[in-house]
């Protein structure tokens, strides 16, 4: 019996994907629920698993081609012989033992296995990072299925210094051979330009940002926050907080709670336009912008008003890790009502964030910098942060936007109010 492999439902508003990599070749055995291929959408990368055990009979769509939901990707022929990949391995291992062979014929075997050992199976998203950062894939430990290198493995290697640049590693061996050819020269000119096809995620980001500019009446209002009280509170309780909750007390929980309180007071900032209607949301799903090597993604922390400080920190931490590892689900990227983006982690002093449609507003955090401030007639050095609120003027009036940002400022400068729900 033949079983069809089709593109699954990809999520709300997602109708197309790109075939990233086939994990199996035609004729190979597959087990039930074993990953067959990888699909890249404009939001996430996901695996398509075998619904039945058998043998991969046909690949209809090659790597790199675009497909729509429901499209035929390939076919599996059901059969007991393909029910377990291990059976094929055992069969291959048994053949040498069953057929006596002279020692001379056995010699090529080590060379073959040695060559195979040098091959590293890398998933497409991981390969892109490896190429961009000039890493040596053989020095990265793969944690994916069958030792495949995932995007998360590459990111971890970059953070921990676990992978060495490919060029320096290869230099000693290559030097004696390449030395005579060095005068030929023009190779240095080849790297002056590089043309790379935009990823589906990058194309989606570009389209959404342009849509926001073309559709919304965007305006940005600014304010600044004295972060001294929050820094003092965090310093006083961070060790106790970590010991009790198992997570660090960061800034994002304070900003999330401050924004939720301000949204509850100014409902228009938590609204959106749907045709000729204004839709006011009585729930608070906070989009937390995360920069990854593939581009900006905005996972959603749901019902933030019902979460404690510790739950907010844990939730944001988990979403951020998934985003960097490329493991976010479609559901985790949908349903946000307001977004917070932190350019300060990259050193930005001030910027004007762009809306995340269909949301009506986005808050931009920035770098904390000591500046001289006049306080009660005296000049004092204070740790200050600029805040920027970009909003859709079609929904939110200037008074509402300014009031919202002032409420956020007041809550952050007196964080006890957040803890006491005042």
């Amino acid at each position: 019996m033949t079983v069809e492999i089709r593109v699954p439902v990809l999520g709300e508003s997602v109708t197309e994907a790109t075939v990233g990599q086939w994990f199996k070749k035609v004729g190979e055995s597959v087990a039930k629920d074993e990953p067959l291929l990888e699909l890249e959408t404009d939001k996430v990368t996901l695996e398509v698993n075998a619904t039945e055990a058998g043998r991969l009979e046909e690949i209809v769509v090659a790597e790199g081609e675009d497909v729509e939901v429901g499209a035929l990707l390939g076919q599996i022929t059901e059969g007991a012989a393909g029910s377990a990949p291990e059976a094929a391995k055992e069969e291959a291992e048994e053949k040498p033992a069953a057929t006596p062979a002279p020692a001379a014929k056995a010699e090529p075997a080590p060379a073959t296995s040695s060559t195979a050992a040098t091959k590293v199976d890398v998933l497409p998203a991981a390969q892109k990072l490896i190429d961009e950062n000039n890493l040596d894939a053989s020095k990265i430990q793969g944690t994916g299925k069958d030792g495949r290198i995932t995007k998360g493995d590459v990111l971890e290697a970059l953070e921990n210094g676990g992978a060495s640049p490919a060029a320096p590693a290869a230099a000693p061996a290559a030097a004696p051979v390449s030395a005579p050819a060095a005068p030929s020269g023009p190779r240095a000119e080849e790297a002056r330009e590089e043309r790379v096809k935009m990823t589906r995620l990058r194309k989606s980001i570009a389209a959404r940002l342009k849509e926001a500019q073309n559709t919304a009446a965007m305006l940005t209002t600014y304010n600044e926050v004295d972060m001294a009280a929050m820094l003092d509170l965090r310093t006083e309780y961070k060790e106790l907080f970590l010991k009790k909750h198992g997570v660090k007390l960061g800034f994002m929980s304070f900003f999330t709670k401050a924004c939720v309180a301000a949204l509850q007071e100014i409902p228009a900032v938590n609204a959106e336009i749907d045709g000729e209607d204004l839709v006011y949301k009585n729930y608070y799903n906070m989009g937390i912008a995360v920069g990854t090597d593939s581009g900006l993604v905005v996972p959603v922390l749901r019902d933030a008003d019902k979460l404690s400080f510790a739950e907010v920190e844990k939730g944001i931490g988990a979403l951020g890790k998934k985003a960097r590892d490329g493991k976010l689900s479609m559901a985790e990227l949908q349903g946000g009502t307001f977004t917070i983006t932190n350019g300060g982690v990259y050193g930005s002093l001030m910027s004007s964030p762009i809306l995340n449609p269909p949301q009506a507003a986005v808050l931009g955090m920035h770098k904390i910098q000591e500046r001289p401030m006049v306080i009660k007639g005296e000049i004092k050095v204070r740790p200050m942060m600029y805040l920027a609120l970009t909003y859709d003027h079609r929904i939110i009036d200037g008074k509402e936007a300014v009031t919202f940002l002032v409420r956020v400022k007041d809550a952050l400068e007196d964080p006890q109010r957040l803890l006491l729900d005042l």
Side-chain angles (χ1 to χ4, degrees):
M1 180 178 175
T2 300
V3 178
E4 293 182 336
I5 309 164
R6 292 190 175 272
V7 180
V9 175
L10 301 171
E12 181 184 346
S13 76
V14 181
T15 59
E16 198 176 51
T18 301
V19 176
Q21 179 184 22
W22 279 92
F23 303 139
K24 291 288 184 178
K25 296 178 181 178
V26 172
E28 289 187 338
S29 298
V30 296
K32 185 175 181 180
D33 296 326
E34 185 178 10
L36 292 174
L37 72 151
E38 187 178 60
L39 290 177
E40 298 176 354
T41 74
D42 57 2
K43 295 182 179 179
V44 295
T45 298
L46 53 91
E47 291 181 343
V48 177
N49 298 335
T51 56
E52 298 293 340
R55 184 180 71 254
L56 183 57
E57 190 69 28
E58 180 185 14
I59 291 178
V60 176
V61 183
E63 295 177 0
E65 293 187 16
D66 294 337
V67 288
E68 295 183 351
V69 172
L72 181 65
L73 296 166
Q75 297 187 101
I76 294 173
T77 298
E78 285 187 86
S83 59
E86 290 77 9
K89 285 185 180 178
E90 291 173 4
E91 184 182 346
E93 290 171 0
E94 288 173 4
K95 282 182 180 179
T99 307
K105 289 186 178 179
E107 287 178 5
T112 304
S113 59
S114 173
T115 304
T118 62
K119 288 186 178 180
V120 182
D121 198 354
V122 185
L123 296 181
Q127 186 62 57
K128 182 175 184 293
L129 277 180
I130 289 172
D131 293 341
E132 289 175 349
N133 293 278
N134 194 29
L135 301 180
D136 186 349
S138 66
K139 297 184 179 181
I140 301 175
Q141 182 64 44
T143 60
K145 188 173 180 64
D146 298 328
R148 296 185 181 99
I149 295 176
T150 67
K151 182 179 179 182
D153 297 330
V154 182
L155 290 171
E156 185 177 357
L158 286 170
E159 291 176 2
N160 301 328
S164 303
V177 178
S178 58
S184 58
R187 286 190 176 184
E189 299 297 322
E190 293 177 10
R192 293 185 64 176
E193 277 192 4
E194 183 180 5
R195 185 180 295 271
V196 179
K197 184 178 179 181
M198 290 177 70
T199 63
R200 186 173 289 276
L201 175 61
R202 175 54 58 189
K203 285 190 286 187
S204 175
I205 292 171
R208 289 176 64 82
L209 292 177
K210 193 59 184 172
E211 176 193 357
Q213 285 186 321
N214 293 342
T215 304
M218 287 195 294
L219 189 61
T220 304
T221 184
Y222 303 91
N223 213 316
E224 56 184 350
V225 179
D226 186 338
M227 299 287 287
M230 188 191 302
L231 291 171
D232 290 343
L233 184 66
R234 183 169 173 263
T235 300
E236 183 177 355
Y237 291 107
K238 66 179 181 181
E239 291 184 8
L240 184 61
F241 190 90
L242 177 61
K243 184 178 179 180
K244 180 175 181 179
H245 299 294
V247 65
K248 292 181 180 180
L249 178 61
F251 295 126
M252 289 306 299
S253 53
F254 288 96
F255 276 86
T256 299
K257 286 293 186 180
C259 286
V260 166
L263 290 170
Q264 290 172 329
E265 182 178 342
I266 315 293
V269 185
N270 203 46
E272 69 176 62
I273 291 179
D274 183 14
E276 296 184 354
D277 298 331
L278 287 176
V279 181
Y280 292 91
K281 312 291 181 63
N282 296 319
Y283 54 92
Y284 306 92
N285 292 346
M286 308 299 288
I288 308 297
V290 179
T292 72
D293 290 290
S294 298
L296 186 74
V297 292
V298 188
V300 177
L301 184 70
R302 300 185 183 281
D303 297 315
D305 56 314
K306 300 176 183 179
L307 302 179
S308 66
F309 273 71
E311 289 171 332
V312 170
E313 291 291 354
K314 289 177 181 178
I316 291 176
L319 290 171
K321 185 178 187 307
K322 280 188 175 184
R324 289 185 290 274
D325 291 347
K327 295 180 179 178
L328 286 170
S329 67
M330 295 300 300
E332 289 168 325
L333 291 165
Q334 297 170 349
T337 63
F338 182 83
T339 291
I340 301 175
T341 180
N342 185 5
V345 296
Y346 304 110
S348 173
L349 184 62
M350 181 181 285
S351 64
S352 301
I354 295 180
L355 291 178
N356 182 23
Q359 296 171 24
V362 54
L363 178 75
M365 299 166 56
H366 297 91
K367 175 184 176 182
I368 298 174
Q369 188 173 61
E370 289 190 338
R371 295 200 299 273
M373 303 295 294
V374 178
I375 301 174
K376 295 181 180 180
E378 296 182 346
I379 298 176
K380 296 186 177 181
V381 176
R382 309 295 288 182
M384 305 298 294
M385 176 192 286
Y386 287 117
L387 295 182
L389 179 76
T390 297
Y391 60 98
D392 190 342
H393 214 341
R394 298 176 302 165
I395 307 175
I396 305 167
D397 293 332
K399 177 184 176 182
E400 293 172 313
V402 171
T403 302
F404 175 90
L405 200 53
V406 169
R407 293 293 180 269
V408 171
K409 169 186 167 70
D410 291 345
L412 295 173
E413 290 184 339
D414 187 7
Q416 285 83 355
R417 294 175 60 180
L418 293 173
L419 300 174
L420 298 173
D421 193 22
L422 297 176

